[in-house]
Amino acid sequence: MAIAPWFVCGPAALLAALGHRRGPDPTVPTPAEDWRTAVVDVVIPVRRDQHTIIHCLTSLLGQTRQPRRVMLVDDGGIARDHAIQLAREFARANGIQLQVVMRTWSVGKAVTIKRQARGFDGDVLFVLDGNTVLASADYIERCVRELYQGVGIASACGTVEPLRPAQRQAMSTRPPFQRWLGDDAWRDPLAAGDPLHRAWRWLGDGYRAHVARLQQGFLDCGLMCQCGGITAPSGEAIAYRRRYLKDMFDRYEPVRGDDLTAVEDLFIARALATEGYRNIRLADVVARVQYPEWQHLPRQAWRWTTALLQNDMYFDPLLRTPLVATRHRLRQWWRRRRRRGRSTAATDQRRVREAYRQPFGERVTLQQGRPIGTGMLLLALERIGYPVTLVVLALAGAWGALAAMAGVEVALTLAITVQLAGPGHRRAALLQGLAATPLRYALILLDPPAMLWFAGRLWLARKHRWYAQRENDGDRRAAARALRR
């Protein structure tokens, strides 16, 4: 689920547009470390991914940069399927070493990442979900290369798109996949047979592709140019500096434990940004994800909304960036005014140069803020303000103003997505955008109830247990019922 601007006329979209106009930082980096010597380890969290794990491993074998080790962690618990069995058969057929961890109880993806960040000794920890396919052969290589363009970069990911049936079929013709098949024929278990299911699948994938263009092609690219990073990386296929990740878990585990809000990837990104690290996205490499049908979108949207609210509450110093940055600039101006007449000339003597360089430490965040914090604040205001405005106009009976606002927003959204699609794909992008608009507005109007539920749960019920832990508790309750039977 993507974090796209709900209102493309809003301040976050305008900030991204300014970034597109400004362009990237022209500083030529001089890295202190060579990315070619970095040791890469891959961890694949698996949870009911038996229909995609072979495609995932096939794409991993086709990478130009091969990892030192690959570990599969089945966190399915009571809901475990045959993903690990199929992965072992694939590894034997292709002669690769595969480490496997099977847990009796589901503990969540955050615990998996934490344990491997501490247990591995490599330089880069690449997290690849079991439902994800690396469509670009140089995905890992490009992520590792950009990760080492500066010490301030903590994570790197590519563009994420839906995995289509035709792409799954094309993946099944690759030699590693065929070696696993042997003399058997492969039939896609996720292929929709009847026209109705094909239409549902097209609608869900079209909505996600439409929102991905807004988030990744427009918002993230603009924030990359303006602030040097993005607000929410794609956790399905992401490369981390392992040492940074380990330090982050050591810092927050005594405070938060393993409940890293409803979306652990978002928590990790905010925690790293608080320390002064940047999360970046590469536009020239692509990963494809097997998403569920559109019926699952309301639950995912609810989960993302509560996760954003939780992370905004936890990392509010990032959202206070405009205020503390203004105060910091005023203090600097006053100090320069008092030192007027003195020699303050200085030259940059650093031998290691890095674009968007900033000092590290949470203390700096509290005193000066972070550039990406402005984008986070504007996005939070949009996600709260636009749905509430729509509801207020509807309750007030101002249908003309409501139609005008929604019409302008839809027109600008379609124009942006069509422009980002590029020649040859603009017609399909327009059709996807038109079909996705009613679903997108339905999910927009789901935000106010989610906000009220979050506020009531936090301030009235005083409950702080997050989505991951509730899901794991559900697995334990299911197991207890099975034992009683």
Side-chain angles (χ1 to χ4, degrees):
M1 194 72 180
I3 303 179
W6 279 150
F7 187 43
V8 296
C9 301
L14 294 178
L15 181 65
L18 291 175
H20 283 282
R21 180 178 179 85
R22 169 187 175 180
D25 190 329
T27 302
V28 179
T30 56
E33 303 172 275
D34 188 359
W35 67 272
R36 300 177 185 84
T37 62
V39 178
V40 182
D41 295 321
V42 174
V43 57
I44 305 178
V46 177
R47 185 176 176 84
R48 296 191 290 269
D49 295 322
Q50 64 178 3
H51 297 315
T52 54
I53 188 61
I54 301 300
H55 295 78
C56 174
L57 294 175
T58 299
S59 68
L60 188 60
L61 284 184
Q63 290 295 298
T64 57
R65 176 69 180 268
Q66 287 296 309
R68 178 184 62 174
R69 72 175 74 175
V70 179
M71 174 178 285
L72 264 70
V73 181
D74 190 341
D75 197 45
I78 195 68
R80 179 175 293 114
D81 59 9
H82 301 289
I84 292 298
Q85 178 183 350
L86 296 175
R88 283 172 169 165
E89 294 175 358
F90 180 87
R92 285 195 298 267
N94 289 275
I96 62 175
Q97 296 292 327
L98 199 63
Q99 301 180 22
V100 175
V101 175
M102 300 180 66
R103 296 200 176 107
T104 304
W105 301 108
S106 177
V107 294
K109 182 179 177 181
V111 179
T112 298
I113 299 175
K114 178 185 68 175
R115 291 180 179 177
Q116 305 321 314
R118 291 172 174 172
F120 287 169
D121 59 354
D123 303 306
V124 177
L125 181 64
F126 189 86
V127 181
L128 176 65
D129 284 358
N131 65 341
T132 304
V133 169
L134 302 179
S136 301
D138 59 343
Y139 190 101
I140 295 180
E141 179 180 347
R142 288 283 293 114
C143 286
V144 174
R145 179 186 299 178
E146 293 301 321
L147 202 60
Y148 276 77
Q149 292 302 303
V151 295
I153 303 177
S155 71
C157 63
T159 301
V160 176
E161 299 176 357
L163 181 61
R164 313 275 185 176
Q167 295 156 351
R168 288 171 51 84
Q169 186 65 38
M171 184 72 66
S172 68
T173 62
R174 293 190 180 183
F177 200 104
Q178 290 296 317
R179 283 193 290 269
W180 169 72
L181 276 179
D183 297 331
D184 298 331
W186 181 73
R187 183 176 178 273
D188 192 352
L190 298 180
D194 58 284
L196 181 60
H197 281 83
R198 285 199 297 268
W200 292 154
R201 176 69 66 181
W202 180 86
L203 179 61
D205 290 345
Y207 168 80
R208 291 183 173 93
H210 173 69
V211 175
R213 291 190 188 98
L214 286 175
Q215 183 219 359
Q216 303 174 44
F218 175 66
L219 181 68
D220 284 354
C221 288
L223 292 180
M224 280 280 296
C225 296
Q226 185 72 18
C227 308
I230 59 178
T231 59
S234 301
E236 296 89 352
I238 182 169
Y240 291 104
R241 289 260 197 150
R242 187 196 62 83
R243 181 169 58 84
Y244 297 174
L245 201 59
K246 175 183 176 298
D247 294 342
M248 187 276 299
F249 281 113
D250 292 341
R251 163 69 175 82
Y252 286 97
E253 184 182 36
V255 181
R256 304 298 177 196
D258 294 328
D259 296 330
L260 304 188
T261 71
V263 181
E264 58 279 338
D265 305 321
L266 189 58
F267 182 95
I268 293 173
R270 299 286 177 103
L272 293 173
T274 302
E275 294 296 327
Y277 298 115
R278 296 185 289 121
N279 307 282
I280 65 172
R281 185 184 300 278
L282 311 180
D284 56 346
V285 290
V286 178
R288 303 189 186 276
V289 180
Q290 183 65 50
Y291 291 112
E293 294 184 355
W294 70 273
Q295 296 92 331
H296 297 264
L297 284 172
R299 181 182 179 184
Q300 291 181 328
W302 187 284
R303 182 186 179 194
W304 266 102
T305 299
T306 55
L308 283 172
L309 294 173
Q310 292 162 9
N311 283 281
D312 290 344
M313 179 184 68
Y314 281 166
F315 301 102
D316 61 298
L318 287 172
L319 274 67
R320 294 200 300 266
T321 289
L323 297 178
V324 297
T326 301
R327 183 180 61 186
H328 178 69
R329 293 191 184 98
L330 290 175
R331 288 178 177 177
Q332 286 186 324
W333 172 81
W334 178 249
R335 290 170 183 171
R336 287 195 300 267
R337 182 180 178 86
R338 294 183 60 184
R339 290 196 299 261
R340 183 174 296 176
R342 304 177 187 177
S343 176
T344 59
T347 58
D348 191 354
Q349 301 293 332
R350 292 179 299 202
R351 299 177 59 185
V352 178
R353 298 182 180 272
E354 176 183 346
Y356 304 100
R357 189 182 181 104
Q358 52 184 314
F360 300 119
E362 186 175 357
R363 180 181 60 84
V364 178
T365 304
L366 296 173
Q367 295 178 352
Q368 305 178 18
R370 299 292 178 184
I372 195 62
T374 302
M376 294 177 182
L377 174 63
L378 298 181
L379 269 175
L381 293 177
E382 283 183 5
R383 292 190 73 92
I384 296 174
Y386 188 53
V388 171
T389 302
L390 294 178
V391 172
V392 169
L393 290 177
L395 294 177
W399 301 110
L402 178 61
M405 177 181 292
V408 170
E409 194 275 336
V410 170
L412 289 177
T413 298
L414 294 176
I416 291 174
T417 54
V418 168
Q419 182 65 29
L420 293 174
H425 302 281
R426 290 176 176 170
R427 183 177 179 181
L430 179 60
L431 293 177
Q432 288 175 352
L434 290 172
T437 296
L439 183 57
R440 186 166 67 90
Y441 266 79
L443 296 179
I444 288 176
L445 295 178
L446 189 64
D447 272 4
M451 296 172 192
L452 292 176
W453 175 87
F454 175 80
R457 185 177 180 85
L458 181 67
W459 295 326
L460 299 180
R462 299 291 181 180
K463 294 181 180 179
H464 299 269
R465 300 176 66 194
W466 308 124
Y467 177 91
Q469 190 170 5
R470 294 199 303 275
E471 184 179 77
N472 298 337
D473 289 347
D475 287 343
R476 293 185 176 93
R477 289 192 293 268
R481 288 194 298 267
L483 290 175
R484 286 196 297 269
R485 292 173 186 172

